[in-house]
Amino acid sequence: MSQNASKALWGGRFSESTDAFVQAFTASVSFDQRLAAQDIQGSKAHATMLAAQGVLTTTERDAILNGLDQIAAEIESGALIWSVAREDVHMNIEARLIELIGDTGKKLHTGRSRNDQVATDIRLWLRATIDVIRAELTRLQAGLIDLAEREFDTVMPGFTHLQAAQPISFGHHMLAWNEMLHRDQERLTQCQTRLNECPLGSAALAGTSYPIDRHLSASLLGFRKPTENSLDSVSDRDFAIEFTSVASIAMMHLSRFSEELVNWNSTAWQFVDLPDRFCTGSSIMPQKKNPDVPELVRGKSGRVFGHLISLLTLMKGQPLAYNKDNQEDKEPIFDTAETLFHSLRAFADMVPAITVNRSVLKDAAINGFSTATDLADYLVRKGIAFRDAHEIVGRAVAQGVATQTDLAAMSLTTLQGFSAIIDADVYNVLTVEGSMASRDHYGGTAPNQVKAAILRARARLAAEDIDQ
Ligand code: ARG
């Protein structure tokens, strides 16, 4: 470097060097070095475009491309020393390029600003990261659908108000989670499509006077198109807010699911057993097997919701165009992606290994009088008005509770004491299996409907996978 090595790349206008604390306070390299691969990718596209437009010679372009490849290798091997004095990932790489190839390196920043550069880097990073997250989500969905198939006719109590309500298929219950995760998939894809536009060429805020080709830059980087407006491109981070919001919804789903698994795995419920490898013990109580993975996922949802609020707050006070506030976007984005990815990974590994305690589930369905609605519907079919039927069954349940007898275990004479219209055929509807099988329509819990839903869910997941 021909100048004093400690002087910032923007140092020309300054008569004193930056205060040491301010330098450290304003630097972002400790965390934005994560964008290095995308920064190099973007710089290579920019240099290629500049040469295609005659702004750089092909010799200059090749020197820049080779230098950038060398820096990528240095980063890969850990040889590159990141410097706080060089503030951020962009200036660390640019300064290193100038060290490596000399004055030609100084031409890379022609027609560009760190403002369009960083906006491009984050979009590239998020675009790639959403692919990785979606693959993990797909793996979890595939495991859920397999579990649903294994347990398609396993009967369990369905709940409202956490009270046993009506018998349902365990497979049907798993498919409910799969629907939520499917919508998360859709939201991730839509978010990815929307952010897939190239800000390069917006420069600081107003564009540039060089004869650039923004369509070429965009296509070199695989973006759908260049962004429409240079001011908007360098300033708004709504795509990051959208990603964090989509991630928050997905984490909310995982947190609900976690809550169920914690209950189901408890000694009081014993609906399922989580595999030992996803649980930990207690340092004092030898009998304990704690469902740490779902508890932690439930807990981690909070930090992602927090990141969403951080980014909304970060953006809300900013006039156009770029402001340094935006440097604060990165840590919430990175942590959101990491938290969601790790939570999905844990679930994708754990769900296929859940043991379902079928007899406990069935007993819980029976003990909860979950076929009471079926008895009421039976009476209605025999000509009794629903309100009267509700009253009759209510009395039968009250006696069942008092005598600890399930409706299906009551004798015909006992049942006829509540309504003379009851016949021996009542037992067809009083069993939990009969009740479950009678919800026999699209989206219902009858095992043959669950089987059909599994086929549809598999086909849809395969189609989503191809989209990726
Ligand atoms: N490190 C900065 C950021 O993350 C890069 C853009 C800096 N631009 C500027 N005009 N200071 O936002």
Side-chain angles (χ1 to χ4, degrees):
M1 227 165 110
S2 51
Q3 287 177 342
N4 177 352
S6 67
K7 193 168 175 191
L9 288 172
W10 39 252
R13 174 211 192 285
F14 287 74
S15 54
E16 61 174 3
S17 52
T18 317
D19 176 272
F21 170 74
V22 171
Q23 186 178 69
F25 183 67
T26 54
S28 53
V29 66
S30 63
F31 51 85
D32 68 13
Q33 57 183 265
R34 260 180 107 136
L35 297 172
Q38 289 72 28
D39 198 64
I40 289 172
Q41 191 186 357
S43 288
K44 287 173 81 171
H46 181 64
T48 305
M49 180 280 291
L50 288 180
Q53 296 301 102
V55 181
L56 291 180
T57 66
T58 51
T59 318
E60 288 168 336
R61 176 199 64 198
D62 292 344
I64 289 172
L65 296 184
N66 289 334
L68 288 169
D69 281 341
Q70 193 174 330
I71 296 170
E74 289 176 359
I75 293 169
E76 180 81 30
S77 73
L80 188 97
I81 312 289
W82 298 103
S83 152
V84 172
R86 288 171 178 173
E87 197 175 319
D88 57 22
V89 62
H90 322 291
M91 290 198 293
N92 268 264
I93 290 175
E94 192 184 336
R96 180 64 186 144
L97 182 70
I98 295 166
E99 273 172 12
L100 285 174
I101 69 168
D103 283 352
T104 305
K106 296 180 181 169
K107 296 191 173 182
L108 170 62
H109 214 51
T110 311
R112 182 176 82 165
S113 151
R114 277 184 296 155
N115 298 351
D116 58 342
Q117 193 177 350
V118 69
T120 304
D121 292 1
I122 309 170
R123 284 173 190 251
L124 286 172
W125 188 90
L126 260 180
R127 191 180 70 187
T129 301
I130 290 175
D131 275 343
V132 178
I133 291 173
R134 284 194 57 208
E136 220 47 22
L137 183 51
T138 300
R139 200 162 69 82
L140 168 56
Q141 288 188 262
L144 259 178
I145 298 169
D146 288 347
L147 180 59
E149 184 167 52
R150 232 161 62 213
E151 309 293 340
F152 82 101
D153 62 352
T154 301
V155 66
M156 68 175 283
F159 294 92
T160 59
H161 313 275
L162 209 59
Q163 308 281 329
Q166 291 172 348
I168 56 166
S169 135
F170 188 94
H172 192 53
H173 196 115
M174 291 303 111
L175 290 183
W177 290 118
N178 183 54
E179 284 309 297
M180 298 176 225
L181 298 180
H182 161 68
R183 291 192 294 276
D184 292 329
Q185 278 277 12
E186 283 187 333
R187 275 185 282 267
L188 280 167
T189 314
Q190 287 160 4
C191 168
Q192 189 182 42
T193 305
R194 209 169 354 262
L195 67 77
N196 195 17
E197 296 184 359
C198 187
L200 270 189
S202 303
L205 75 166
T208 177
S209 56
Y210 293 96
I212 58 170
D213 180 351
R214 295 195 59 217
H215 288 90
L216 177 57
S217 306
S219 84
L220 287 170
L221 292 169
F223 283 113
R224 285 190 292 125
K225 63 187 281 295
T227 50
E228 280 296 320
N229 180 289
S230 63
L231 293 173
D232 171 50
S233 310
V234 295
S235 70
D236 203 13
R237 295 291 183 265
D238 62 349
F239 61 89
I241 296 173
E242 185 175 349
F243 170 68
T244 320
S245 128
V246 169
S248 291
I249 297 174
M251 286 301 296
M252 174 276 291
H253 287 148
L254 292 181
S255 179
R256 295 184 67 189
F257 195 179
S258 296
E259 172 77 8
E260 282 199 339
L261 290 177
V262 170
N263 285 335
W264 290 4
N265 182 68
S266 68
T267 31
W269 293 49
Q270 295 182 31
F271 278 12
V272 299
D273 280 319
L274 296 179
D276 282 4
R277 62 184 184 282
F278 295 98
C279 298
T280 62
S282 155
S283 56
I284 174 169
M285 296 165 283
Q287 84 281 15
K288 292 294 282 296
K289 181 179 137 182
N290 299 326
D292 284 35
V293 167
E295 287 176 33
L296 207 48
V297 168
R298 190 176 57 187
K300 278 179 187 292
S301 60
R303 64 198 282 163
V304 174
F305 303 168
H307 295 321
L308 171 60
I309 297 298
S310 295
L311 290 179
L312 284 167
T313 313
L314 170 70
M315 208 68 240
K316 76 177 273 293
Q318 289 193 52
L320 287 170
Y322 177 86
N323 303 281
K324 183 78 166 180
D325 312 41
N326 274 346
Q327 183 165 289
E328 284 289 299
D329 65 353
K330 289 169 202 62
E331 289 158 294
I333 296 174
F334 294 151
D335 190 68
T336 295
E338 211 162 84
T339 305
L340 178 57
F341 173 76
H342 287 149
S343 302
L344 288 169
R345 180 185 164 168
F347 262 68
D349 289 344
M350 182 177 66
V351 161
I354 292 174
T355 307
V356 176
N357 298 329
R358 293 178 185 156
S359 62
V360 176
L361 287 167
K362 183 171 171 176
D363 288 348
I366 292 171
N367 296 336
F369 294 95
S370 62
T371 58
T373 318
D374 299 274
L375 179 55
D377 289 344
Y378 170 89
L379 294 170
V380 169
R381 280 197 298 276
K382 299 253 171 181
I384 295 182
F386 185 79
R387 270 296 145 235
D388 295 331
H390 189 285
E391 168 73 22
I392 292 167
V393 178
R395 278 190 272 116
V397 168
Q399 176 167 326
V401 170
T403 58
Q404 295 193 9
T405 321
D406 174 48
L407 296 175
M410 290 180 185
S411 71
L412 186 57
T413 330
T414 309
L415 287 169
Q416 284 171 339
F418 300 109
S419 168
I421 218 162
I422 295 176
D423 272 330
D425 63 350
V426 74
Y427 293 104
N428 298 337
V429 305
L430 286 186
T431 63
V432 286
E433 289 85 358
S435 164
M436 177 171 73
S438 68
R439 267 84 182 162
D440 190 8
H441 51 75
Y442 192 97
T445 194
N448 63 305
Q449 292 292 345
V450 174
K451 268 191 168 169
I454 287 166
L455 290 180
R456 294 196 297 272
R458 279 229 176 87
R460 189 179 62 188
L461 189 63
E464 271 166 359
D465 220 16
I466 292 162
D467 287 353
Q468 268 190 39

